Amino acid sequence: MENVQINRAYLETLSFSDLQKLADDYSIDVPENFNRGFLIGEILEVAEESYKKNLEPDMNITEEEEESCDDSEMPRSYNSTEVEIILRNPAWAYIYWNISDSDRDSLEKTFVSELRIRVSSFSEKSQVKPDEFFDIQISKQDNGQYFLLPAGKKFFCVDLLFCLDGIIDILASSEVLEMPTGSSRLVDVHPGKEEGLSPIMELSGMRELLLQHYKNHRESFS
């Protein structure tokens, strides 16, 4: 690996594919749809730890970056306005968002006091108008929240909204999240439902697995 100075200024000049290659060099697992700002933060954190443990002599941290890592925690925001949605399990998802300094200043100057997250669901990915949606009012200090997924929906998208004098406008929108397709043999199988379990499924322990899933995630059966 070429001897380079690993700092935020350098990482911001790299493309996302180059950041992924760098993450591979540092053995950082990059989940699908991982946020660029979060990836930069992960690389900086691993670079700092490796520097302190002297495990990678060719990973040089500049004095400026070392001081910033020593004096403060990882920043809550990377000065970009964005909102993303990540699937946790078939019942829950996690939304996280950032608001840039310039957008935050504009909101303050126009006396915007209400921010919202809008969760929209679709039957088809190409739909423009959602089948249904609901809003979650959020605090200016927050940057993430779990929410329960409406049952039976295939696609989801979230918008970061602000409300000014009754007019709602969009600050940022996420990519469309597609729910994984489950096996047709399991879709209609629920705890207490006797039919639908073949002898092979019985032997696999599926009945006990469904019972444990029901105990821990009852909301996914509503």
Side-chain angles (χ1 to χ4, degrees), residues 184-209:
S184 58
R185 294 184 178 182
L186 300 178
V187 170
D188 296 324
V189 179
H190 301 291
K193 186 176 181 181
E194 298 299 329
E195 65 271 18
L197 284 178
S198 66
I200 292 180
M201 291 176 68
E202 287 279 8
L203 290 173
S204 71
M206 182 57 65
R207 189 178 300 281
E208 290 76 14
L209 180 62

Side-chain angles (χ1 to χ4, degrees), residues 4 7-8 11 45 47 52 64 67 116 137 140 170:
V4 295
N7 55 32
R8 185 173 298 282
L11 295 178
E45 185 175 0
K52 289 181 178 180
E64 177 183 354
E67 291 176 359
R116 301 180 187 177
Q137 189 166 343
K140 292 182 179 180
I170 298 176

